[in-house]
């Protein structure tokens, strides 16, 4: 989970960061929160962020314009506007934000945001929660690249980290309970969302990892993959 705060008010940014840390700490074991207080126009740097808090009325830039440019990069970031100027609420709707936090009503609005975000992550964005070194850990289903089995251990390979713990491939696939994760050989299961191409009996992932497919898994895999492509 990568979070970004864009606001030219440094004191407010730090307060918001502390509140966001408390919220994310109850959901994710790994996350980052960056603050930018100036030079806001490096849009490409924001593209991989999952959650962005942006002040609309920035001294150097217009927050809505920044978000529009970001969305042209096909970013899937959840956008939450923050502003002391409530008259911007309607103009912000053109970018379909998740919420609009009024700075003058910050305490109440931020509590509402966190309740809605938690519900959103649980229902809209499927989250996988498991025990990892004695602590509950959560990851997005969409962040999983593939899962590999090593004897009695499995490794879940994601965008930012590899989670290795004791389980079987069969058990973790059943635990995740999604048609997106498909077994392709005895030791590997892949995320259909992360496949770049299928070349014969080889599956090429978006990071160019190549995973050979087992013959006994080919038929079922191809059925599920075609269903995924047309869904």
């Amino acid at each position: 989970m990568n979070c970004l705060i864009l606001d030219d008010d440094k004191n407010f940014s730090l307060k918001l960061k502390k509140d966001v840390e408390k919220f994310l700490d109850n959901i994710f074991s790994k996350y980052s929160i960056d603050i930018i207080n100036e030079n806001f126009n490096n849009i490409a740097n924001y593209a991989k962020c999952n959650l962005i808090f942006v002040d609309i009325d920035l001294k150097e830039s217009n927050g809505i314009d920044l978000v529009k440019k970001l969305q042209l990069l096909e970013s899937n970031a959840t956008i939450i506007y923050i502003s002391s100027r409530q008259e911007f609420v309607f103009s912000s709707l053109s970018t379909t934000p998740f919420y609009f936090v009024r700075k003058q009503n910050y305490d109440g609005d931020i509590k509402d945001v966190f309740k809605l975000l938690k519900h959103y992550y649980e229902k809209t964005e499927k989250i996988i929660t498991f025990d990892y070194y004695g602590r509950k850990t959560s990851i997005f289903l969409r962040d999983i690249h593939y899962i590999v089995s090593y004897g009695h251990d499995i490794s879940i390979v994601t965008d930012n980290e590899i989670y290795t713990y004791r389980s079987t491939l069969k058990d973790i696939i059943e635990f995740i309970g999604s048609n997106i994760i498909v077994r392709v050989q005895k030791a590997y299961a892949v995320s259909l969302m992360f496949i770049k191409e299928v070349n014969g009996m080889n599956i090429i992932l978006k990071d160019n990892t190549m995973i050979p497919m087992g013959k006994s898994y080919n038929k079922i895999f191809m059925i599920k993959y075609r269903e995924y492509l047309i869904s």
Side-chain angles (χ1 to χ4, degrees):
M1 162 61 72
N2 300 316
C3 178
L4 181 64
I5 296 172
L6 302 174
D7 197 310
D8 47 24
D9 185 333
K10 294 182 179 180
N11 291 330
F12 177 82
S13 298
L14 291 173
K15 175 178 173 56
L16 176 58
K17 181 180 180 180
K18 289 181 180 179
D19 290 336
V20 175
E21 283 177 343
K22 291 178 182 177
F23 169 70
L24 294 179
D25 199 48
N26 290 321
I27 302 178
F28 301 100
S29 64
K30 294 289 184 179
Y31 62 85
S32 66
I33 305 175
D34 294 317
I35 296 176
I36 296 178
N37 297 128
E38 58 186 3
N39 301 322
F40 301 102
N41 290 309
N42 294 324
I43 300 299
N45 295 335
Y46 313 157
K48 293 186 178 181
C49 292
N50 308 109
L51 177 63
I52 300 179
F53 292 84
V54 53
D55 190 352
I56 291 180
D57 192 22
L58 299 167
K59 292 179 181 177
E60 301 175 8
S61 307
N62 179 288
I64 296 174
D65 290 341
L66 288 178
V67 170
K68 287 180 178 178
K69 292 176 182 177
L70 177 65
Q71 291 174 338
L72 290 175
L73 298 177
E74 298 184 1
S75 168
N76 293 318
T78 299
I79 302 297
I80 297 173
Y81 287 116
I82 46 180
S83 181
S84 58
R85 299 181 61 179
Q86 299 183 48
E87 65 270 24
F88 286 138
V89 170
F90 294 107
S91 56
S92 73
L93 296 178
S94 62
T95 58
T96 59
F98 184 83
Y99 207 85
F100 190 105
V101 174
R102 300 162 294 173
K103 286 188 176 181
Q104 59 268 49
N105 194 44
Y106 173 79
D107 291 338
D109 283 359
I110 202 66
K111 288 180 181 178
D112 290 340
V113 165
F114 292 153
K115 287 179 183 178
L116 291 171
L117 275 175
K118 187 174 187 298
H119 179 77
Y120 173 75
Y121 289 147
E122 289 174 347
K123 301 299 180 181
T124 307
E125 299 275 354
K126 183 175 175 62
I127 292 178
I128 312 301
T129 301
F130 53 93
D131 290 315
Y132 185 63
Y133 288 102
R135 179 181 174 181
K136 291 291 183 182
T137 297
S138 297
I139 57 177
F140 287 122
L141 173 63
R142 59 174 163 77
D143 285 341
I144 297 176
H145 295 187
Y146 61 92
I147 305 171
V148 58
S149 172
Y150 304 96
H152 297 292
D153 292 335
I154 58 99
S155 290
I156 304 174
V157 180
T158 71
D159 284 338
N160 301 311
E161 187 163 348
I162 298 175
Y163 300 88
T164 300
Y165 66 100
R166 189 158 293 270
S167 180
T168 66
L169 190 57
K170 179 177 180 291
D171 286 345
I172 188 62
I173 292 173
E174 290 179 355
F175 175 72
I176 292 172
S178 171
N179 291 330
I180 294 296
I181 304 298
V182 179
R183 195 166 188 167
V184 297
Q185 57 155 287
K186 184 178 180 180
Y188 280 86
V190 303
S191 169
L192 300 181
M193 291 187 285
F194 202 68
I195 293 176
K196 179 180 179 181
E197 64 177 298
V198 177
N199 186 355
M201 294 294 289
N202 293 317
I203 297 169
I204 314 299
L205 303 182
K206 291 181 180 178
D207 63 357
N208 292 320
T209 296
M210 185 176 72
I211 298 176
M213 199 184 327
K215 289 182 179 179
S216 62
Y217 297 91
N218 176 261
K219 183 177 180 180
I220 293 177
F221 165 78
M222 291 306 301
I223 290 172
K224 291 184 177 181
Y225 187 47
R226 290 189 187 103
E227 290 175 348
Y228 170 76
L229 291 175
I230 64 176
S231 62

